[in-house]
Amino acid sequence: MVVKVARVQKTNPLPAVEQTEEEKMSVKKYLRGEAADLGELQDKKLKGQLAVREELYGKSAQAAAQAEKWLMPSEGGYLEVEGIEKTWRIKQDAIAAEVDILSLRKQFDIVLPDFGPYTLDFSLSGRYMIAAGKKGHMALLDMKNMDLIKEFQVRETVRDVVFLHNQKLFAAAQKKYVYMYSDNGTEMHCLKDHGAVTKLQFLNKHFLLTSINKLGQLHYQDITTGEMIGNYRTGLGRTDTMEVNPYNNVIGVGHSGGTVSMWKPTSAAPLVKMLCHQGPVTAMAFHANGHLMATAGMERKIKLWDLRKFEVLQTFPGTTKSMQFSQKGLLAAATGGSFVQVFGDLSGSQEYSRYMGHSIAKGYQIRKVQFRPYEDVLAIGHSQGWSSILIPGSGEPNFDTWVANPFETRKQRNEKEVRSLLDKLPPETIMLDPSKIGSVKPAMKKKGPTKQDIEAEKEAAIEDAKKTKLKKKTKGRSKPSKVTKKKQEAIMRAKKPFLEKQEEKVKKRKRVEEENQLPMSLQRFARKVPAS
């Protein structure tokens, strides 16, 4: 009986679909940094566990990039011109005639001439805004419904105001101290340790309230425990500007000497000190990617800096007291007192040019410009109140409800607060390069013994040679003279390896000097090799 074996044709797997550049960029965005280098690990078990985890991270990033097409359907707005028209010549009246009714409601002017100038701040979702006049007037508004939630008067100077982790709490820098208020205007705390503060910032992921006072002292306070994490004297003079880098939560401070310093709460010395201007620094701002910084000085110059190389990319003429980058990278600067300029990277190559301009009533002095998150809106706080204008293409069109939800309910807000407290990051995680967190520490290079170690080892060998007992021999071979001679020979044998190593170093240094021999005229510039 003959058994025939049927040949089964093997089917080839489906060919891998090549990803486009746009898909690769979206996957890279969700990877949140480069993968860890596992080649230097010696522990096979740990290496295998980390390799599996890195593979899971890659798969989740690809899944998130594929779902992005369905979860983020909205597209950002922009200004489109024809022929020789320029976008910066388009006025707000022309934009208002073309937008829908809901967008038209976001363009308004609030005139309050008795309490200005006003400073502003938005919540993370962009739904709520707090406005504070220098003469003590404060107002909390719901920008979605255009409702006034609370309005009160503190009857003293207010220099700055900032939201805390949500709209239920905000902090105000008043005449002497920093005060914390609830959304109904109730005073919750008086923070006397901060002193007479000029600027406030809040680090959401770390729950740290940061302030800089008139004396140039930088304070970090944890609002969950009330503990003062850091209190440092900058020593670089008075400052009127302070911003937080959203990429790594490092605080940037501009000083009266033209220096910009960057700080973290666990270091008494600045991480970076840059001489950016010849006069006092009047304003600064950080891009969302963390690699671009804008500074303005009293010598009427606005500079764009690349923080990866610490070099100037562009310089614009003008002076400003307030600047800010939008979520899409537009830069708004209040130049000329009552004029706002918006610069944009229209080519995508970090070459900023004029994008839009807006002039408010003559004589108004602008104090603060602030982009509203997830909206194409720029809020302007000035000496006669505040204004809101439309800047197409400035806001992120799609919001993540896990990060910032403008339509969250009370239950969702409470759950988010508990979750953010559980996920609170320690102050030690603030650093210039946050990608180092979770990376594998490279193997340390073996360091050779120091001069002191070599001398100690040499003395120990000599002592051991002296303590060696010699065998007693007869017929005059154990005379004191011969015993002394044998001990000296043992000491010389112990010294010999150390002397040989020293001679090798001397020969090597002489050989290097001969190879790098310079002419007599240039020998005084030669670097001297230190003697070992």
Side-chain angles (χ1 to χ4, degrees), residues 462 465 486-497 499:
I462 293 172
K486 288 180 180 180
K487 285 187 176 182
Q488 289 178 353
E489 290 176 355
I491 292 173
M492 290 303 298
R493 284 195 300 269
K495 287 183 179 181
K496 189 175 181 179
L499 296 175

Side-chain angles (χ1 to χ4, degrees), residues 221-292:
Q221 186 162 9
D222 191 336
I223 66 167
T224 59
T225 61
E227 181 185 0
M228 187 66 73
I229 302 298
N231 178 8
Y232 309 120
R233 183 179 290 275
T234 60
L236 297 171
R238 180 185 169 89
T239 178
D240 291 321
T241 176
M242 180 178 68
E243 294 293 334
V244 58
N245 190 336
Y247 174 67
N248 51 21
N249 287 299
V250 170
I251 292 293
V253 181
H255 302 276
S256 58
T259 305
V260 171
S261 58
M262 300 181 189
W263 300 78
K264 67 176 183 178
T266 55
S267 175
L271 301 174
V272 177
K273 281 200 299 185
M274 302 169 56
L275 183 60
C276 298
H277 295 275
Q278 296 177 355
V281 179
T282 57
M284 62 185 301
F286 289 97
H287 196 280
N289 61 13
H291 304 318
L292 195 64

